[in-house]
Amino acid sequence: MVTRTETIRPGVNWWSILGVILRVLGLLLFIVLIPIAFNMEWRNFERIFEKFSSLRFLSLGALATIAVSLVAILASLPLATALALGRLSPFRFIRWIAIPYIEVIRALPLLLLIFYISLRFSDQLGVFARMGVGDTESYFGRAAQIILSQAGLTVMVALTLYTAAVNAELLRSGILSLDRGQMEAARSLGLTYWQTMRRVVLPQAFRRTLAPLIAQFTILVKDTSLGSIIGFIELQRSARILYENDYNPMEALYIVALIYFVLNYLLGLTSRFIERKGPSVELRVADF
Amino acid sequence: MALPQVEHIAHSIGEPIILMENIIKRFGKLTALDDVSLEVRRGEVLMVIGPSGSGKSTLLRCINHLEVPTSGKVTIDGVVLTGQRTNINKIREEVGMVFQRFELFPHLTVLENVTLAQMVVRKRSKEQANKIGMALLEKVGIPEKAGGYPAQLSGGQQQRVAIARALAMQPKIMLFDEPTSALDPEMIKEVLDVMLDLAREGMTMVVVSHEMGFARAAANRVIFMDQGKIVEMGEPERIFSTPQHERTQLFLSKILH
């Protein structure tokens, strides 16, 4: 009886190395071509880089974008999980809460959500914001002030609520894509509904929906820029304040674009990192 | 699938452990089980045969409440299944189940598959669970695969792990729902061998399967089901050689060639 599995494990794969080189070259070409195509001027880049205050300003904006994104990502995950389970709950009262929440929040433009939270909860969020104000002269004091500003907290809350609603549906589809037998197998071993969800169903659902979840987080990072409209000094807004002084919007926004790209590229790498842990996909030789 | 002719296992039969009384199960308009009553005694190996859609699997799934009967009473080891959650989970700890499509947990290693319920439900320590898990993998003949994942195993190996996973809870009853019908022919024997060992050890087993060799070697009763009813019941040799009922004869003529 021949039943064995083998991993395809290449030694040095020159084709994949060539592929990496070509990808890096392509990226560099792209980075160089855009400034040329848009007639950007090197002198305008220099003007940004030669002033320490501009760089400090941009980095504060980047920090605000990163911090708000991180909080919203981490806060939206448990909420999305709760909503997905709520929508699948055997108890209709829980479904009656989860379904309208998901459907309503997903249907609204994020900007409207931001406006609404900003208008309705400005006082409450302001209290938190005031507590967060530290030494505004120091770098991190200023960063905390931006992040914990009323606008910053509004964006944080809006992105959390919105992303949770979208990701709840992704997770729900992941849970439903599992074979019903998985639930039955766990239950027939004596695990309770919750133990089965926690140990068997959710780990698999997260793994299956990892790529779309990360894609949604990428959208979240980009959507922090909507905060600029209510005065949140995140990455894009900080660039605007810069170029309004120096009249070099093209170049300032180009640097901002690069920072967004790097942030989201790193986010994409985490999904590959997580996918690599756990069962690897192997070629089954047994069936031949 | 022919097993080598083995001497029939001598069963020591005890008191009733599964009692099903007037079970009716409807799915919408379809009646899957139509007033079925059944008694299985401790140490018995009961085979359930019948055409597809005859209600065999539903009967099996009613025993551990994966299906809740529309009416009727199921008693397991003196405990009436009431539908209450705690009660059901307690019963399920005592009743192991093996599925047609294995249903191993693909995100866990083979050993973790066997230890999960031990730790979560039986509250065993990790060391203890691992020890019992390894012993069971030894028993089903694949201790060397403990660190691998289910996807790296052949179908026969996966089904043996699934049996080990169920045995890890030290159940009083084992249910088998067509355990070999998703397997390639050359892997069927390795699974049946493990099941034969279990029967020899005196495990109470209810097996939905058409493996006649296994029935002859291990079963002390065969029931033939059709259209949600138990049509005929008796010792394997009697059922296979001199079936009384016309429908049983027709069915057996199709599967025995």
Side-chain angles (χ1 to χ4, degrees), chain A residues 46-236:
Chain A
E46 280 179 345
R47 231 189 286 170
I48 294 168
F49 285 117
E50 71 199 7
K51 262 192 291 180
F52 177 72
S53 64
S54 319
L55 289 179
R56 179 179 190 265
F57 203 66
L58 263 181
S59 70
L60 277 171
L63 204 60
T65 291
I66 293 169
V68 167
S69 300
L70 218 56
V71 171
I73 287 171
L74 294 178
S76 70
L77 258 180
L79 185 57
T81 311
L83 285 167
L85 291 177
R87 189 162 191 170
L88 294 168
S89 168
F91 304 107
R92 69 172 77 115
F93 297 105
I94 298 175
R95 289 202 300 275
W96 284 347
I97 298 168
I99 294 174
Y101 176 90
I102 292 169
E103 294 302 337
V104 170
I105 298 287
R106 276 199 316 157
L108 300 178
L110 182 54
L111 190 54
L112 188 147
L113 212 59
I114 290 174
F115 278 144
Y116 184 81
I117 293 168
S118 172
L119 292 169
R120 175 63 185 81
F121 294 105
S122 59
D123 293 345
Q124 284 90 333
L125 289 175
V127 174
F128 287 110
R130 273 194 295 280
M131 290 196 308
V133 174
D135 175 12
T136 55
E137 292 306 310
S138 79
Y139 182 80
F140 287 106
R142 176 68 188 137
Q145 192 189 33
I146 296 171
I147 294 159
L148 296 174
S149 67
Q150 194 234 316
L153 289 173
T154 299
V155 174
M156 227 181 261
V157 172
L159 283 173
T160 301
L161 297 179
Y162 181 77
T163 306
V166 176
N167 283 354
E169 284 299 89
L170 291 176
L171 277 175
R172 186 173 71 106
S173 76
I175 292 170
L176 290 177
S177 77
L178 292 180
D179 195 312
R180 186 166 157 240
Q182 287 287 304
M183 178 59 115
E184 291 182 348
R187 297 305 302 277
S188 74
L189 287 167
L191 271 73
T192 65
Y193 177 84
W194 289 109
Q195 287 168 340
T196 303
M197 277 296 168
R198 199 169 92 72
R199 303 299 196 121
V200 175
V201 174
L202 284 177
Q204 293 185 64
F206 273 116
R207 185 170 287 278
R208 287 193 183 194
T209 47
L210 187 61
L213 284 178
I214 298 279
Q216 191 58 42
F217 291 149
T218 307
I219 295 173
L220 183 154
V221 171
K222 292 186 286 183
D223 279 352
T224 53
S225 63
L226 287 174
S228 64
I229 294 164
I230 57 164
F232 175 38
I233 310 169
E234 41 64 68
L235 187 51
Q236 177 155 354

Side-chain angles (χ1 to χ4, degrees), chain A residues 1-5 7 90-91 179-195 199-201 203-204 207-208 278-280 282 284 286-287, chain B residues 61 64 66-67 85 89 92-93 95-97 99 103-108 116-117 120-121 123 145 149 151-155 157-158 165-166 169 184 186-187 190:
Chain A
M1 189 175 57
V2 185
T3 56
R4 62 206 168 88
T5 56
T7 319
F91 304 107
D179 195 312
R180 186 166 157 240
Q182 287 287 304
M183 178 59 115
E184 291 182 348
R187 297 305 302 277
S188 74
L189 287 167
L191 271 73
T192 65
Y193 177 84
W194 289 109
Q195 287 168 340
R199 303 299 196 121
V200 175
V201 174
Q204 293 185 64
R207 185 170 287 278
R208 287 193 183 194
S280 57
E282 303 210 357
R284 291 266 316 268
D287 298 326
Chain B
R61 293 159 61 86
N64 68 350
L66 280 184
E67 303 290 355
R85 283 158 172 253
N89 290 332
R92 283 177 177 152
E93 292 174 25
V95 183
M97 185 151 185
F99 298 83
E103 301 300 349
L104 293 179
F105 307 131
H107 61 302
L108 301 178
L116 175 69
V120 175
V121 181
K123 308 288 179 206
K145 297 284 185 182
Y149 285 94
Q152 298 165 304
L153 269 55
S154 73
Q157 291 171 329
Q158 288 191 51
R165 177 177 69 175
M169 298 298 287
D184 291 337
E186 79 266 26
M187 295 169 189
E190 65 192 55

